[in-house]
Amino acid sequence: MHFMETLDKFDVAILVQLQTDARQTNAELASRVGLSAAPCWRRVRALEEAGFITGYRAEINRHKIGLGVLAFVRLDADRNSADSTGKLEEAIKKMPEVVACHYISGTGTFELQVVAQDLEAFSQFALKKLMNLPNVKDIHTSFSLGEVKASSALPLGHLGQRLSS
């Protein structure tokens, strides 16, 4: 079944509201989306069970906790066989400094977002950990000079448009 067939305007409204404030009570959420509390709660649970909602978490200001460096690291793998790439993936997943990792097209195999306390800490991490990962050929790093926008909220406007057509 196509995902749009399973969402209606109330589901989309719930997703919009929870991305804005996941700490609101079910009563507040129900009021904002135009449902009573019980059906709203059932819909939230159904959205969780169907995998539309994958979790709830606090957004932490990395600067306030002493992680002043954000680096974008393109990692080139030596070989791209399933076994060697799988071992590299598993090693990357275990590194808390890597807050995001994506397969990429073009030059390189992975694009990592890495946080560190300062440039020295990042340098030590890159030289002692990243370069020693299995199957790593090279790394190329760019540093964030300032965040213009950093949001984990996904755009949902296309869902509402498709429901009204």
Side-chain angles (χ1 to χ4, degrees):
M1 179 180 288
H2 190 270
F3 76 94
M4 280 304 301
E5 295 173 22
T6 64
L7 294 177
D8 66 14
K9 68 178 186 173
F10 293 110
D11 296 323
V12 173
I14 288 169
L15 294 174
V16 167
Q17 285 298 317
L18 288 177
Q19 280 198 129
T20 303
D21 179 10
R23 292 187 65 179
Q24 62 191 298
T25 66
N26 183 62
E28 291 170 327
L29 177 62
S31 173
R32 290 179 181 152
V33 302
L35 290 170
S36 60
C40 183
W41 182 85
R42 284 193 295 273
R43 283 176 177 266
V44 169
R45 294 296 164 255
L47 289 166
E48 291 169 351
E49 289 171 11
F52 288 97
I53 298 172
T54 58
Y56 302 88
R57 61 194 58 83
E59 293 183 21
I60 299 172
N61 181 326
R62 68 180 171 83
H63 297 283
K64 293 278 189 183
I65 61 167
L67 296 173
V69 170
L70 173 61
F72 300 92
V73 180
R74 189 183 72 224
L75 189 147
D76 300 329
D78 195 26
R79 295 174 308 280
N80 284 323
S81 70
D83 184 54
S84 60
T85 302
K87 288 178 182 172
L88 181 54
E89 282 179 28
E90 290 308 310
I92 290 170
K93 287 177 186 177
K94 293 177 183 171
M95 303 176 123
E97 299 89 347
V98 178
V99 295
C101 175
H102 299 270
Y103 275 112
I104 58 172
S105 62
T107 306
T109 307
F110 295 104
E111 181 82 19
L112 284 60
Q113 289 182 31
V114 177
V115 292
Q117 291 177 301
D118 52 32
L119 288 175
E120 177 62 25
F122 175 81
S123 177
Q124 292 301 311
F125 174 76
L127 294 172
K128 292 183 178 175
K129 293 187 180 176
L130 289 180
M131 287 302 294
N132 288 315
L133 287 171
N135 198 36
V136 170
K137 180 169 129 182
D138 201 4
I139 63 172
H140 306 273
T141 304
S142 298
F143 294 98
S144 171
L145 300 178
E147 292 176 348
V148 175
K149 180 180 180 182
S151 173
S152 60
L154 298 173
L156 302 176
H158 66 290
L159 297 177
Q161 291 170 357
R162 293 183 70 184
L163 290 171
S164 62
S165 55

